[in-house]
Amino acid sequence: MKQQAKSIRPFIGAKDYEASRSFYRAFGFQEIELSHDMCVYKLKNNVAFYLQKYFVKDWVENTMLFLEVDNIEAFRAELLTLNLEHKYPTVRISEIKNEAWGREFFVHDPSTVLWHIGEFTQ
């Protein structure tokens, strides 16, 4: 292609839309409300996704996103200080795992959307 892409923004659903909105704001994403049933959440460098007030169990519970970070230990440590697991009953934050390609840990959001948060070493 001759044209360059600027970003990629997946759409994810939410079992409890308001709980998911609150979670992502607490996580550190900037929320921009687009309509009564959709928001976009942004971090720096065009990292963004859309959250919809829409739930299909098989779709949402099988959604996975990968977020690459520069320093996995620091990112996880900062995330743990937010007490997200205590504020949202279904949220889980795993330990860091070493893989052949780098390191990662997992975060389940309030709807069980699975975030892979990783740092590449190669």
Side-chain angles (χ1 to χ4, degrees), residues 45-97:
N45 303 327
N46 286 325
V47 173
F49 67 94
Y50 295 99
L51 179 70
Q52 303 174 86
K53 187 177 184 178
Y54 184 75
F55 181 74
V56 174
K57 182 178 171 49
D58 289 343
W59 169 53
V60 173
E61 291 183 355
N62 287 289
T63 298
M64 292 187 285
L65 300 160
F66 187 92
L67 178 64
E68 181 182 0
V69 298
D70 288 332
N71 182 325
I72 196 165
E73 287 92 1
F75 193 94
R76 184 174 179 278
E78 186 174 349
L79 197 59
L80 290 173
T81 66
L82 302 175
N83 293 315
L84 297 173
E85 290 177 295
H86 301 295
K87 295 176 185 174
Y88 305 93
T90 58
V91 169
R92 299 289 176 261
I93 300 172
S94 76
E95 297 294 326
I96 296 172
K97 292 177 36 177

Side-chain angles (χ1 to χ4, degrees), residues 5 12-13 23 27 31 37 49 51 65 78 81-82 91 93 102 107-108 110 112 116 122:
I12 65 172
F23 170 79
F27 193 105
E31 177 186 72
D37 59 358
F49 67 94
L51 179 70
L65 300 160
E78 186 174 349
T81 66
L82 302 175
V91 169
I93 300 172
V107 177
H108 287 89
T112 69
H116 293 246
Q122 299 179 3

